[in-house]
Amino acid sequence: MRARNSFAKDSFITITRQFTSILLGMLLLIVLARFLGPSGQGQYTLVILLPQLLMTFMNLGVNTSTIYYVSREEIDVDSAVKNNLYIGVFLSFVSILIGMVIAFFFSDRFFEEASTTFLLLSLIALPFMFLNIYFQTVFQGLQQFGVFNTILIITQLGTLFFVCLFIIVLDYGLTGAVVAFILGHLITTVSIVYILYAKFGFRYEKGAFNLSYFKKSVLFGLKAHISNVMSFLNYRIDLLLLGYFLNPAAVGVYVTAVNIGERISILSQSLSTVLLPRIASVDDERDRNRVTSILTRNFLVFVLLLTIGVFFFADWVIDLLFGVRYEKSSSLLKWLIPGVAALSIDRLLSNDIAGRGKPEVNMYVSLFNVLFNVGLNIYLIPLYGVVGAAVATTTTYILSLIIKIYLYKKVTSSNYRSFLLIQRDDLYLYSNLFKQLKTKMADR
C-alpha cells in the first residue's frame, strides 16, 4: 500500500487538504472567540493546553521514528500499528495520572483561573490524542498523504460540529467547548481504525509486538522527541507565562493572533509533512539537496508576500471575523507575523535534517530556543504585557532560523544561494506554469 506519487503531487494533495483544514480551523476559532469571549476563550486555551503538553512531553518521539522506519520499510504496517497501540495506551495512562496530580496540586501556578474540574475533564482526550498521532504517522511513513490529510480534516470538522452543537445550539459554554475537544479526537480515532481495517487490511492478529523495533524506535525517537518537546514549548511557553503573569482575557486576545499566524505556517507544515518521509527514503545526496533547495527558496518568496499581505490587512480581518473585543489582536498579529514567516522556513529545513537521520541537530537548536524564549518572555511580559510576549516569540523564531540556515549548510554542504535565492530555472518554471494556465483558460 506504499504510495508512489511524485513529490509535487503529494505536496499538492497535502496543501489542498490543508487549505480545507485552515478554513475549518478558522471557523472553529471564530465560533470560540465570539461565543466564549476573550476570557472564556483564554480559559479554554489553558484547559486544553494541559493534555497537549502531556501528550507532547510523554510521546517519546515514537511518532517521528514511525515515519522514519515505515518509510524505509524496516517494519510492516500491522506490526507498526500494533506496537504503537500498546505504547499509546500505556503512555496515555501514565499521562492521565500525571495530569491528575497537576490538576489537584499545581493548577494554581499556571492554570489559576481554569477550573480543576475542566482540567480533569480534558484528560479524557489523552488516549485518543496518543493513538491519533501514533496511527497517523503510519500513513505519513507510507506516503499516503491523501489519507493522512483527510484524518486532519476529520479532527477539525468533528470538533467544529460538536462546538457548534454544544455552544451555539445548547449553550453549554466552556463545558461544551471542552467536551467538543474530547469528542473531536474520539471521532478521529474511530475513523483511523476504520480506515486501517477497510483500506489497508490491518488485522490485529497479523501484527507482532517487536521488542527490538520498540527499543530502536524509542532510541531514535528520543532524539527527535526532545527537539519536538522544545519546539512545542517554544510555541506555547508564551501562553503559560501570560497565564502566570496576566489573566485569561489577555490569553484569549493573544491566542487569537497566534492562531491566525499558525494558519499561515500550516502551509509550510504541509510541505514538511511530505518532505520528511521523502528525504528519509532517498539515498542520493544530490537529489535530497535539490528537492529541499527548490522547495525552500520558492516557499520563502511565497511566505514573504503572504506576510506582507497579512500585515496590511490585519486590522480589517480581525475586526470582520472576531469583532471589536479582539481589536488588540491585530497589533499582536503584526508583531507575530515576521516570526511566523521565519518559522515556516525553519520547519522545512528542520524536517530535511531529521529526514537525513540527524534529529539531534534540531534538538540542540530547540533547547537553545526554549531557554532564550523563556528568558525573553519573563523579562518582556511584566514590562509590555501581551506585546512583550509577541516580540519575544518573533525574536526567537528569527534567531532560530538564522541558526538553522547555518547548520543546514553545514550538514548538506549546500551554498546559501542554492536554497535561499530564486534561481533562473525557477523563473522559467513560473513562466511555463503561467503559459499553461493561460492556455487552459483560453480553451475554456
Side-chain angles (χ1 to χ4, degrees):
M1 297 298 293
R2 189 172 302 277
R4 299 295 181 184
N5 295 334
S6 68
F7 182 84
K9 184 175 181 180
D10 285 337
S11 298
F12 177 77
I13 291 172
T14 303
I15 290 174
T16 300
R17 300 198 181 190
Q18 286 282 12
F19 265 118
T20 304
S21 179
I22 290 172
L23 292 174
L24 292 172
M26 284 299 299
L27 287 173
L28 177 61
L29 179 60
I30 291 167
V31 172
L32 290 171
R34 286 190 172 273
F35 285 86
L36 295 182
S39 181
Q41 189 186 18
Q43 290 182 61
Y44 171 77
T45 301
L46 292 173
V47 167
I48 67 169
L49 187 57
L50 178 59
Q52 289 173 342
L53 280 170
L54 289 167
M55 195 271 291
T56 302
F57 271 93
M58 296 297 295
N59 70 60
L60 302 183
V62 172
N63 51 325
T64 302
S65 58
T66 298
I67 299 170
Y68 185 79
Y69 288 116
V70 170
S71 67
R72 297 178 69 87
E73 302 185 30
E74 295 187 23
I75 187 170
D76 61 274
V77 173
D78 295 302
S79 296
V81 173
K82 194 167 188 176
N83 277 265
N84 287 4
L85 173 63
Y86 289 163
I87 299 168
V89 170
F90 173 73
L91 291 179
S92 63
F93 176 74
V94 174
S95 298
I96 289 173
L97 294 179
I98 296 172
M100 291 173 68
V101 172
I102 293 173
F104 281 120
F105 300 105
F106 301 100
S107 61
D108 58 336
R109 300 285 181 89
F110 293 96
F111 306 96
E112 185 175 355
E113 296 191 42
S115 165
T116 301
T117 302
F118 285 133
L119 291 172
L120 292 172
L121 180 62
S122 71
L123 299 178
I124 298 174
L126 275 169
F128 311 121
M129 294 171 71
F130 272 93
L131 294 179
N132 290 347
I133 192 172
Y134 282 178
F135 291 163
Q136 276 178 282
T137 47
V138 172
F139 302 127
Q140 193 176 348
L142 291 170
Q143 300 184 44
Q144 292 279 352
F145 295 105
V147 177
F148 177 83
N149 289 291
T150 298
I151 292 167
L152 295 179
I153 293 174
I154 290 172
T155 305
Q156 295 273 17
L157 189 60
T159 305
L160 178 62
F161 170 78
F162 289 115
V163 161
C164 291
L165 175 63
F166 293 134
I167 295 180
I168 298 177
V169 178
L170 300 177
D171 194 24
Y172 286 164
L174 183 57
T175 303
V178 177
V179 172
F181 172 78
I182 298 168
L183 292 177
H185 286 287
L186 170 60
I187 290 296
T188 304
T189 305
V190 172
S191 300
I192 292 174
V193 172
Y194 173 77
I195 292 170
L196 282 169
Y197 270 88
K199 183 172 181 178
F200 290 83
F202 167 75
R203 294 297 179 270
Y204 177 83
E205 59 275 7
K206 288 168 59 180
F209 183 79
N210 188 325
L211 186 60
S212 173
Y213 166 75
F214 170 73
K215 292 178 180 178
K216 185 168 62 172
S217 175
V218 171
L219 287 175
F220 180 90
L222 280 174
K223 297 177 183 179
H225 178 57
I226 296 174
S227 175
N228 292 338
V229 167
M230 293 301 105
S231 295
F232 182 84
L233 284 177
N234 208 30
Y235 302 154
R236 292 291 183 262
I237 197 68
D238 44 4
L239 297 178
L240 280 172
L241 292 173
L242 282 171
Y244 180 80
F245 284 113
L246 303 179
N247 53 62
V251 175
V253 170
Y254 182 79
V255 80
T256 298
V258 169
N259 282 332
I260 293 175
E262 286 182 347
R263 296 298 175 269
I264 297 171
S265 69
I266 282 177
L267 298 175
S268 70
Q269 186 177 340
S270 305
L271 298 174
S272 299
T273 297
V274 181
L275 185 63
L276 175 57
R278 187 57 57 99
I279 293 296
S281 63
V282 172
D283 295 321
D284 187 88
E285 191 73 12
R286 289 176 301 177
D287 194 27
R288 286 174 166 178
N289 293 347
R290 183 183 63 84
V291 170
T292 302
S293 294
I294 293 173
L295 188 62
T296 303
R297 65 182 183 246
N298 284 280
F299 191 74
L300 177 59
V301 173
F302 171 77
V303 80
L304 286 175
L305 293 174
L306 183 61
T307 297
I308 293 170
V310 171
F311 184 88
F312 284 108
F313 289 98
D315 295 336
W316 179 78
V317 170
I318 295 292
D319 183 60
L320 176 67
L321 298 181
F322 303 101
V324 294
R325 290 183 296 177
Y326 293 88
E327 60 182 356
K328 290 183 179 179
S329 297
S330 60
S331 62
L332 294 176
L333 181 57
K334 291 176 183 179
W335 281 109
L336 286 167
I337 202 66
V340 171
L343 174 64
S344 298
I345 306 304
D346 184 304
R347 188 174 279 150
L348 293 175
L349 299 180
S350 296
N351 273 14
D352 177 282
I353 292 170
R356 295 170 193 264
K358 298 181 182 292
E360 66 276 6
V361 173
N362 295 326
M363 178 185 70
Y364 299 139
V365 178
S366 296
L367 283 169
F368 168 79
N369 289 344
V370 169
L371 294 174
F372 181 80
N373 197 14
V374 169
L376 208 54
N377 269 289
I378 290 175
Y379 175 72
L380 292 176
I381 289 176
L383 292 175
Y384 304 106
V386 287
V387 172
V391 171
T393 298
T394 287
T395 303
T396 302
Y397 288 164
I398 292 174
L399 181 59
S400 176
L401 175 60
I402 293 171
I403 296 171
K404 201 64 64 68
I405 286 171
Y406 169 76
L407 292 175
Y408 177 79
K409 179 184 183 298
K410 191 172 182 180
V411 168
T412 64
S413 298
S414 302
N415 61 69
Y416 293 118
R417 186 176 182 274
S418 67
F419 64 93
L420 292 178
L421 298 178
I422 290 294
Q423 309 290 307
R424 182 176 296 177
D425 290 344
D426 298 323
L427 299 177
Y428 289 142
L429 174 64
Y430 295 152
S431 177
N432 288 334
L433 288 174
F434 178 75
K435 289 177 181 177
Q436 291 177 17
L437 181 62
K438 189 176 180 181
T439 301
K440 287 182 179 180
M441 292 179 67
D443 291 342
R444 291 180 181 179

